[in-house]
Amino acid sequence: MSNGLPQAVLLDMDGTCIDSEPLWIAAEVALAKKHGEVFDPKDGVQFVGTSILDTAEYFKKWLQLPQSAQDIADEIVANVVAALGSAALQLRPGLPQLLVECQRLNLPVALVTSSYQVFADAFIAKLEQEPFAQELKRPIFSAVVTGDEKLPNKPDPAPYQAAATRLGMNPQECLAVEDSPTGLRSALNAGCQVVGIECMNPIPSWPGITELSSLADLDEKLLRKLASA
């Protein structure tokens, strides 16, 4: 961090960039209803930050479904992508400001998500249509790591290590932003400087995590302070 800044910002997507967790929970409720069961939306919190395949495995076992877990995962993802396409984009507070600030400071931004590529692509396409994004360079994200790549999923450090490698950096040079304990553990394990912003789960009081109330807090002054720490 020789210029007094992190060399890149690595952002989780669901719950960090976009308030999409309600879309995932709605898809889980719909899946259970389709097979004659009731899924309590409150129970959807247990899947926040986990891999989609793990969620699918849960529903396969609970609903005693004959399909493969991968087929169930694909169905859930398809429903969420469709819901995203028909709804207004619910960005997390401060995302526009942070993306503008990063481009002003020439900081590359990577997206590091457990969601599948098709959902990440749908999110990015809608993000690029937002009024603030019209002034940003394309692509907005210099690297994208998704949950359907042949990588171990969070909390393994592999997703954040891959993002840093694709940017030509070491994870220790990067600032990662997460909302879930699973994602926070992944970023910590990778050696990143880590910021936690609460969405559906409280941010754990683990060493190495700086908790903020909003992405808007990550202005140049705080980026430099975090880099110097």
Side-chain angles (χ1 to χ4, degrees):
M1 303 187 186
S2 58
N3 63 350
L5 288 165
Q7 298 303 288
V9 174
L10 314 180
L11 297 176
D12 171 55
M13 183 172 68
D14 297 291
T16 298
C17 289
I18 177 176
D19 191 13
S20 52
E21 299 299 355
L23 301 182
W24 291 102
I25 292 173
E28 293 154 9
V29 169
L31 177 63
K33 183 177 181 181
K34 176 181 174 180
H35 295 281
E37 294 287 351
V38 176
F39 181 71
D40 189 338
K42 293 180 181 178
D43 292 337
V45 175
Q46 67 184 298
F47 302 122
V48 172
T50 64
S51 77
I52 301 166
L53 202 57
D54 286 346
T55 302
E57 290 281 8
Y58 170 89
F59 280 93
K60 176 178 171 61
K61 182 177 180 180
W62 174 45
L63 299 172
Q64 299 182 13
L65 301 178
Q67 306 99 295
S68 69
Q70 186 61 67
D71 286 343
I72 297 167
D74 291 342
E75 180 180 345
I76 293 172
V77 171
N79 287 338
V80 173
V81 171
L84 179 67
S86 61
L89 196 58
Q90 300 297 320
L91 298 179
R92 292 283 287 155
L95 180 65
Q97 296 96 310
L98 176 59
L99 292 175
V100 169
E101 186 79 328
C102 285
Q103 290 214 352
R104 183 182 71 81
L105 296 170
N106 292 315
L107 292 182
V109 180
L111 196 65
V112 187
T113 178
S114 295
S115 289
Y116 286 3
Q117 184 75 50
V118 64
F119 185 59
D121 287 345
F123 162 63
I124 293 169
K126 291 201 76 167
L127 181 64
E128 289 176 343
Q129 299 306 310
E130 291 288 299
F132 84 92
Q134 302 310 303
E135 303 302 320
L136 297 179
K137 301 173 185 176
R138 297 294 190 273
I140 294 174
F141 299 107
S142 300
V144 178
V145 177
T146 61
D148 49 346
E149 298 187 35
K150 301 301 182 183
L151 292 170
N153 281 302
K154 302 173 184 179
D156 193 278
Y160 281 100
Q161 290 170 338
T165 296
R166 292 173 194 182
L167 295 173
M169 299 169 187
N170 295 318
Q172 293 83 358
E173 299 176 304
C174 301
L175 175 71
V177 187
E178 276 279 357
D179 71 292
S180 73
T182 302
L184 290 164
R185 180 63 70 193
S186 174
L188 286 171
N189 289 343
C192 299
Q193 179 89 27
V194 183
V195 163
I197 298 176
E198 183 174 336
C199 182
M200 296 187 72
N201 287 307
I203 301 300
S205 299
W206 294 337
I209 296 175
T210 300
E211 184 175 359
L212 301 177
S213 60
S214 165
L215 291 169
D217 294 335
L218 278 173
D219 57 10
E220 180 179 0
K221 181 179 179 179
L222 183 54
L223 287 168
R224 291 187 180 279
K225 181 178 179 180
L226 291 171
S228 66

